[in-house]
Amino acid sequence: MSYLCPVSTARDIRALSRDQIQEYFQSIGEPKFRAIQVYEWLWQKGAIDFNQMTNLSLSLREKLKEDFVINHIRVDEMQRSEDGTIKNAVQLYDGLVVESVLIPTDNRITACISSQVGCSLDCNFCATARLKRMRNLNPDEIYDQVVAIQNEAESFFGRPLTNIVFMGMGEPLMNYNNVIAAIEKITSPEGLGMSPRRITVSTVGLSKMIRKLADEDPKFKLALSLHSARDEVRNKIMSINLKNPVADLIDACQYWYEKTKSKVTLEYVVWRDINDSEEDIKALLKFCKQVPTKVNLIEYNPIDDGIFQQADFAAVEAYQLALQKIGTVATIRRSRGKDIDAACGQLANKNELLKDMNS
Ligand code: SAH
């Protein structure tokens, strides 16, 4: 395949901690502070080449080039939607591709980023689910997507990035350690210094992993892609529910709230003849009465198979009213970036590189 670039065998300097970089400099007889300089270049200034590190001597830059590579992502293609949304096709060091999205609103700029190449889940309504899961993203590949979007926020909108959602390709809790490591870097003063409160990790609903995460005293938010609070419906549309039934999700979300005091956001699409009945609403109300939540009623983004269809607006409103009656905040959300396949569940829909990758 023509777009594949050679995999480098040299060590990726960005896989090293600051202490390890310090040890390296000591081992070649250089002062410790070089580590701070290099670390800043790598993580704050987003250097992609040792030549950019102008406060290091030329010979030291050459030495670094011999010993290391900088495996940086490359934005291969950028598409802009008529509503301002930007979608990046991002090439990784081994030629694989993921997508990330910048979503602008009046008071926010949100980065929607990927955590895996492809996805191993098979939610029937999601385009990404049709791709094989190729591999997990490294912490720096997750971090780099954020930096790329931050730069686009500044250059296209003159505003900083304000929020990050792990709602791109993949299941973040199936790439747990790397997602946590990336968030640490994104929030640390040595990285981007972003507030964890502005970061949301979205999960398909892995009850054990939600508990594990809750135990780590996370400061970021959690979203759960629920879509149905009835096992008989959820089993059919999201096979992960067979091993993570609704009762277990309720337990896990209660545990999350006990530990973090942060409400879980439920993501919920209402489809015609699938989950638009009174019984479906009742099941969700039962869920929300047991767990402190907020509900986002999100618009369905068709992925061209016709099986799933957005329910009538009246059905969505019926959900909203019922939730409001029991004191649960429910927001109806419109899609962004549909015209460029950048909306929820559409990533990978029409990307030729990704199709190649799976052929
Ligand atoms: N694996 C994680 C992260 C993906 S987030 C998760 O499942 O939460 C992507 C969000 O978009 C999820 O809530 C997913 O259920 C939703 N989604 C998937 N396909 C969609 C579609 N076609 N239209 C609207 N939302 C969709």
Side-chain angles (χ1 to χ4, degrees):
M1 274 176 284
S2 58
Y3 65 88
L4 285 181
C5 43
V7 179
S8 170
T9 49
R11 250 192 332 166
D12 179 8
I13 191 163
R14 300 202 321 154
L16 303 188
S17 66
R18 206 169 62 179
D19 287 350
Q20 287 170 318
I21 299 179
Q22 215 167 62
E23 279 165 30
Y24 163 78
F25 278 121
Q26 280 179 312
S27 77
I28 60 165
E30 285 285 332
K32 272 185 178 178
F33 71 84
R34 294 272 178 243
I36 299 172
Q37 291 176 319
V38 168
Y39 203 81
E40 271 181 13
W41 276 112
L42 293 174
W43 294 107
Q44 278 173 358
K45 300 179 193 157
I48 55 172
D49 192 315
F50 290 111
N51 286 334
Q52 290 172 277
M53 304 185 180
T54 44
N55 53 359
L56 307 183
S57 70
L58 214 54
S59 59
L60 189 53
R61 282 183 250 163
E62 288 306 315
K63 170 77 182 141
L64 284 167
K65 274 192 237 171
E66 278 167 29
D67 292 343
F68 298 105
V69 290
I70 303 176
N71 280 338
H72 206 281
I73 63 158
R74 211 176 66 205
V75 177
D76 247 14
E77 194 193 344
M78 200 196 82
Q79 284 173 277
R80 288 197 77 176
S81 156
E82 55 199 23
D83 67 17
T85 301
I86 295 177
K87 181 167 80 171
N88 292 332
V90 164
Q91 186 165 149
L92 310 172
Y93 71 91
D94 53 3
L96 295 175
V97 176
V98 293
E99 292 179 335
S100 29
V101 183
L102 177 160
I103 307 153
T105 56
D106 287 347
N107 48 11
R108 287 180 177 194
I109 293 198
T110 302
C112 174
I113 56 176
S114 294
S115 56
Q116 298 182 309
V117 187
C119 189
S120 55
L121 302 168
D122 55 359
C123 305
N124 296 350
F125 46 82
C126 180
T128 312
R130 295 176 180 175
L131 298 175
K132 279 189 277 207
R133 190 205 74 107
M134 308 291 279
R135 69 170 171 86
N136 285 337
L137 293 187
N138 301 324
D140 52 276
E141 290 168 331
I142 297 172
Y143 182 90
D144 285 352
Q145 293 175 65
V146 177
V147 173
I149 289 190
Q150 193 185 41
N151 293 339
E152 288 169 352
E154 292 291 354
S155 54
F156 292 104
F157 299 91
R159 291 193 269 147
L161 174 67
T162 57
N163 296 72
I164 301 173
V165 293
F166 281 78
M167 295 187 187
M169 295 173 160
E171 167 55 39
L173 299 191
M174 286 181 170
N175 185 15
Y176 188 93
N177 291 339
N178 291 352
V179 166
I180 300 290
I183 293 177
E184 268 167 21
K185 193 81 25 72
I186 292 165
T187 52
S188 86
E190 287 166 352
L192 299 179
M194 272 191 74
S195 163
R197 310 248 171 240
R198 294 180 168 275
I199 300 178
T200 301
V201 170
S202 176
T203 178
V204 71
L206 306 169
S207 20
K208 258 195 213 147
M209 300 309 283
I210 294 174
R211 286 172 166 273
K212 180 174 153 91
L213 192 58
D215 281 334
E216 299 206 19
D217 193 22
K219 300 281 180 270
F220 51 83
K221 296 187 182 149
L222 183 70
L224 165 64
S225 302
L226 189 66
H227 302 308
S228 173
R230 295 170 62 196
D231 283 325
E232 61 270 42
V233 176
R234 203 167 188 267
N235 283 344
K236 278 192 209 141
I237 58 176
M238 303 169 80
S239 63
I240 197 77
N241 195 69
L242 294 165
K243 292 211 171 105
N244 296 266
V246 174
D248 286 4
L249 292 179
I250 291 175
D251 273 0
C253 290
Q254 281 171 339
Y255 189 71
W256 169 272
Y257 187 74
E258 261 168 45
K259 288 275 178 176
T260 65
K261 296 287 169 275
S262 155
K263 285 185 183 174
V264 177
T265 299
L266 302 181
E267 290 154 273
Y268 204 101
V269 177
V270 188
W271 290 286
R272 180 173 303 150
D273 299 334
I274 291 180
N275 60 354
D276 59 351
S277 73
E278 273 298 313
E279 206 177 344
D280 295 299
I281 296 180
K282 265 194 204 143
L284 181 59
L285 296 182
K286 193 171 157 210
F287 192 112
C288 294
K289 280 180 190 161
Q290 294 174 79
V291 190
T293 54
K294 291 184 277 193
V295 178
N296 277 344
L297 295 162
I298 56 184
E299 194 182 337
Y300 178 54
N301 304 306
I303 55 166
D304 295 342
D305 61 8
I307 301 170
F308 288 87
Q309 283 175 18
Q310 171 70 48
D312 295 338
F313 190 68
V316 182
E317 258 187 340
Y319 263 101
Q320 188 183 34
L321 286 175
L323 287 162
Q324 282 169 348
K325 266 196 193 148
I326 62 159
T328 299
V329 173
T331 314
I332 300 177
R333 298 224 180 258
R334 278 194 35 238
S335 282
R336 304 293 306 272
K338 260 198 207 174
D339 55 328
I340 53 165
D341 283 291
C344 283
Q346 288 188 314
L347 296 188
N349 207 19
K350 293 191 184 119
N351 188 315
E352 292 305 320
L353 290 182
L354 287 162
K355 274 186 195 150
D356 275 7
M357 214 163 76
N358 274 257
S359 59

